[in-house]
Amino acid sequence: MSQIPQWVVDALPTRTKTLQFLETLAIGTIGGVVFLVAHLPGGLISGAMLAVGAAAMLGRRMAVPAHLTQAVLVLLGISLGSLMSRQLLQHIGAYPLTIGFLALSTFGTTFGSSYYLQRVHGWDRTSAFLAACPGALSQIALLAVEKGADMPAIAVVQTLRVIILTAALPLILVLTGLTSASAPALAITVASPLELAALVAASVAVSLVIRWMKFPASWLFGAMIGSSVLHGAGLVDGGLPPIVRSIALIGIGMLIGSRFSRMKLSTLLRHFTAGVGSFAIAIAISAIFVTIVAWTTHVRFADILVAYAPGAMDAMLALALTLHIDPIFVGAHHLSRFIFVTLAIPGIVHLFGRPQEDVDD
């Protein structure tokens, strides 16, 4: 009997990793379902995120394999793409203005939050700038290692910002009447098996192409593009089954909550005040620009709020899917912010961070 090739053995998940994922899946699903039954806004995402995050902080090793992460992002992108044909031209004339204000908001929140971290908590300039920068966490982590910054502290501030936004934003939008907590009527009909196969094939194909082009968030945006083209051209009518869409939303919540597995409770407590304080500064500065955009454009206030929220791109787009928010507007702005941050943060750290020789001492 021929032996299994070593590369196949290496690719298979270990028993420990499989059990960790199954535990994460069970806890995330229970949390999401509880929040959904309680009719809490954004219930599947928020419930899964908080349940998995709490388990992680209690010492359980929460994890989602990379391939399943990619699958979740593709499913989310397909669901978002099914909305695009209806909303493609909505507010598109306002995009240059609103994206311009978003750039100012991004740099304002970065400098404002970093100044707070330096003055109030005594952080070094490099760590403060990297912690204050919204989004692009993978690039920030690489820069933190390269520059010798305090990565655990940066991770606490970045993770708390995402957790607070993902949990609080749906409640704020619903309680203020800016949107509805009920499930949106998106893709009422379920695509046929052949159409579903075409959606998946097109989404994966586009994702692979733009991933090869080094496009940011390629699995999410590739699936959005593939799905939107098929829907916009009238080649596909309908979307994913509701249960599959729910799995994607729970998956996003699990991904966010599992970030707490990478930090110790003592690290979280040590930097908790810094994280909450810098978040408050960022929200205050963002609110100024949200107000300006709301006064100068005809874009819905709820759409602006989610588009300008300094949170994770996948989480904000998932919330757009569940809260009647325009996914095109939100996606365009969070992608723009990702590009701003990716291009600008190395230069900002070089100019305003601590000198390299200080790091090496």
Side-chain angles (χ1 to χ4, degrees), residues 24-284:
T24 305
L25 178 62
I27 292 173
T29 301
I30 292 171
V33 171
V34 168
F35 271 52
L36 183 66
V37 171
H39 300 290
L40 292 171
L44 289 174
I45 307 170
S46 299
M49 176 191 69
L50 293 175
V52 170
M57 294 313 302
L58 290 174
R60 304 306 302 171
R61 185 68 179 176
M62 300 285 98
V64 181
H67 292 309
L68 289 178
T69 297
Q70 294 164 357
V72 165
L73 294 175
V74 168
L75 292 176
L76 177 60
I78 291 173
S79 296
L80 290 164
S82 67
L83 300 176
M84 287 196 175
S85 60
R86 305 175 190 178
Q87 299 175 326
L88 185 58
L89 298 178
Q90 186 179 12
H91 309 316
I92 200 166
Y95 281 20
L97 177 64
T98 55
I99 289 177
F101 277 122
L102 177 66
L104 295 176
S105 175
T106 299
F107 295 125
T109 57
T110 299
F111 279 92
S113 295
S114 65
Y115 183 81
Y116 164 83
L117 290 171
Q118 293 172 60
R119 293 297 180 182
V120 177
H121 298 279
W123 284 32
D124 66 87
R125 285 177 291 171
T126 298
S127 298
F129 275 115
L130 292 174
C133 191
L137 185 57
S138 57
Q139 286 84 344
I140 288 171
L142 291 174
L143 272 173
V145 173
E146 178 186 335
K147 298 294 183 180
D150 189 346
M151 189 57 214
I154 293 169
V156 169
V157 171
Q158 291 273 359
T159 301
L160 280 176
R161 182 166 59 230
V162 174
I163 293 286
I164 294 171
L165 274 173
T166 306
L169 196 55
L171 286 172
I172 292 172
L173 288 171
V174 172
L175 292 176
T176 55
L178 293 173
T179 190
S180 169
S182 60
L186 60 101
I188 298 174
T189 59
V190 175
S192 68
L194 184 60
E195 290 175 329
L196 287 173
L199 277 173
V200 172
S203 298
V204 172
V206 176
S207 297
L208 290 172
V209 170
I210 67 173
R211 185 175 179 81
W212 175 75
M213 297 168 60
K214 307 297 183 183
F215 192 87
S218 55
W219 293 108
L220 176 60
F221 280 101
M224 285 179 66
I225 294 169
S227 177
S228 64
V229 168
L230 291 181
H231 282 92
L235 299 175
V236 171
D237 180 26
L240 296 174
I243 184 63
V244 177
R245 201 160 55 235
S246 297
I247 290 172
L249 296 176
I250 289 174
I252 293 296
M254 288 163 46
L255 287 172
I256 300 171
S258 64
R259 290 187 184 183
F260 279 120
S261 291
R262 304 168 194 169
M263 64 181 69
K264 297 179 180 178
L265 181 59
S266 58
T267 304
L268 173 64
L269 295 176
R270 185 165 66 251
H271 300 294
F272 183 83
T273 305
V276 173
S278 64
F279 170 79
I281 297 295
I283 289 299

Side-chain angles (χ1 to χ4, degrees), residues 95 303 306-307 316-317 320 325-335:
Y95 281 20
D303 295 345
V306 178
M316 294 302 103
L317 279 167
I325 305 298
D326 182 351
I328 315 252
F329 186 81
V330 172
H333 286 71
H334 278 277
L335 177 60

